[in-house]
Amino acid sequence: MPRNATTKAPTKSSAAKPAPRGTGKGTQDVLALLKEDHQKVTKMFDQFEKMKDKEDDDVEAKQLLVETVCAELTIHTQVEEEIFYPAMRDALDDQDMLDEAEVEHNSAKQLITELSAMQPGDELYDAKFTVLGEYVKHHVEEEEKEMFQKAKKAKVDLVALGEEVMERKMELREELGLDADDTEADADDEDDAPKAAKRKNMH
Ligand SMILES: [Fe+2]
C-alpha cells in the first residue's frame, strides 16, 4: 500500500478557523465527517487486536495506540453530544434512540477514564481496550444504520452541522495537544498511531 500522507494538502493553516474550501472538509456533511471518525478508530482497534496477538509485544506502541484512540474518541463523543445529538433531538421524534446513544457514550467514557490511569501490562488493560472496541463498533453500527439514515430524511442542514463539528473538532484537538493534521490522517494509514505517539513523546 503506498504511503501517500505527504501528498495531502496541508491543513494546519485552517486549524484556528476552518475556511470553507471547494473540495476540502469544509463542504463535508456531518454524517461523512462522523463516519470518517468511525472508520479511523475502527481501524485502530483492529490494529490493536493484531498487536495483542504478536509474541514480541511492543508495549510502547500499544500504549500510544490506546492513547490515540482514546483522544480521538473523546473528541468524537464530545462533538456528537454538543452539536450532533442536540440537532437530532430537535429534528427527530425518536428520543429513545438518542438517550441510548448517550448511555453508550457514557459506557465508553468510563472505560476511557479507566484506561487513562493504566499502563500496558496492568491487569485487564488489554481486555478493557478490547471491550471498548466492541462498544464502539456496536455504537457505530447503530448510528450509521439507524440515526444517520433518519438524519438524512430529516429537515436538517447536514453541511452546516458538518462545519460546526469541524470547527469544534479543531478547537478540541488543540486543547488536547493533537495536531490538526491528524484529523486528515487517512484511516488506512497504518502509521497514524505511531506518528501521534512520537509527537507526544517529544515534550
Ligand atoms: Fe459516533
Side-chain angles (χ1 to χ4, degrees):
M1 181 175 54
R3 293 174 57 190
N4 59 356
T6 51
T7 62
K8 292 204 156 261
T11 54
K12 259 195 171 139
S13 57
S14 64
K17 186 173 165 242
R21 282 161 288 166
T23 54
K25 304 276 168 181
T27 56
Q28 266 189 312
D29 77 44
V30 67
L31 305 182
L33 272 177
L34 296 175
K35 267 191 190 175
E36 264 184 15
D37 286 350
H38 291 166
Q39 279 171 5
K40 190 164 159 183
V41 293
T42 300
K43 287 246 177 195
M44 287 194 272
F45 277 116
D46 291 344
Q47 211 178 324
F48 180 83
E49 290 307 309
K50 279 186 222 151
M51 256 182 193
K52 210 174 71 173
D53 295 338
K54 277 190 191 157
E55 276 180 25
D56 54 335
D57 214 4
D58 186 341
V59 173
E60 204 186 333
K62 215 176 192 180
Q63 185 170 16
L64 295 170
L65 183 62
V66 170
E67 282 173 4
T68 305
V69 172
C70 288
E72 293 291 344
L73 286 175
T74 299
I75 293 172
H76 179 81
T77 52
Q78 200 167 333
V79 294
E80 282 191 337
E81 287 173 20
E82 284 180 10
I83 300 164
F84 184 59
Y85 291 173
M88 290 301 106
R89 278 196 189 277
D90 285 344
L92 305 176
D93 285 336
D94 200 342
Q95 301 298 314
D96 286 354
M97 177 181 67
L98 285 146
D99 289 346
E100 285 164 26
E102 288 195 22
V103 172
E104 286 170 5
H105 273 190
N106 290 341
S107 306
K109 282 192 272 190
Q110 176 66 36
L111 280 178
I112 290 170
T113 304
E114 289 172 24
L115 278 162
S116 68
M118 294 172 82
Q119 308 284 331
D122 284 355
E123 204 183 348
L124 300 184
Y125 182 87
D126 286 4
K128 277 181 202 269
F129 193 68
T130 297
V131 171
L132 176 63
E134 287 165 4
Y135 283 176
V136 168
K137 282 178 188 175
H138 167 81
H139 177 70
V140 161
E141 209 176 297
E142 300 245 301
E143 276 194 348
E144 293 192 6
K145 285 197 178 143
E146 199 178 348
M147 198 188 297
F148 288 10
Q149 300 313 314
K150 289 185 178 173
K152 280 182 201 163
K153 292 177 195 151
K155 285 189 180 126
V156 185
D157 186 342
L158 296 174
V159 173
L161 277 180
E163 279 170 16
E164 218 181 311
V165 160
M166 196 64 202
E167 202 163 332
R168 186 69 182 124
K169 279 176 83 173
M170 295 292 192
E171 280 173 12
L172 292 169
R173 295 192 89 80
E174 268 192 20
E175 277 173 31
L176 287 178
L178 294 171
D179 269 5
D181 281 354
D182 285 357
T183 313
E184 311 285 325
D186 274 356
D188 58 2
D189 183 349
E190 300 277 317
D191 284 344
D192 279 3
K195 268 188 286 183
K198 258 184 232 153
R199 259 192 317 279
K200 278 193 173 180
N201 275 354
M202 290 198 314
H203 53 73

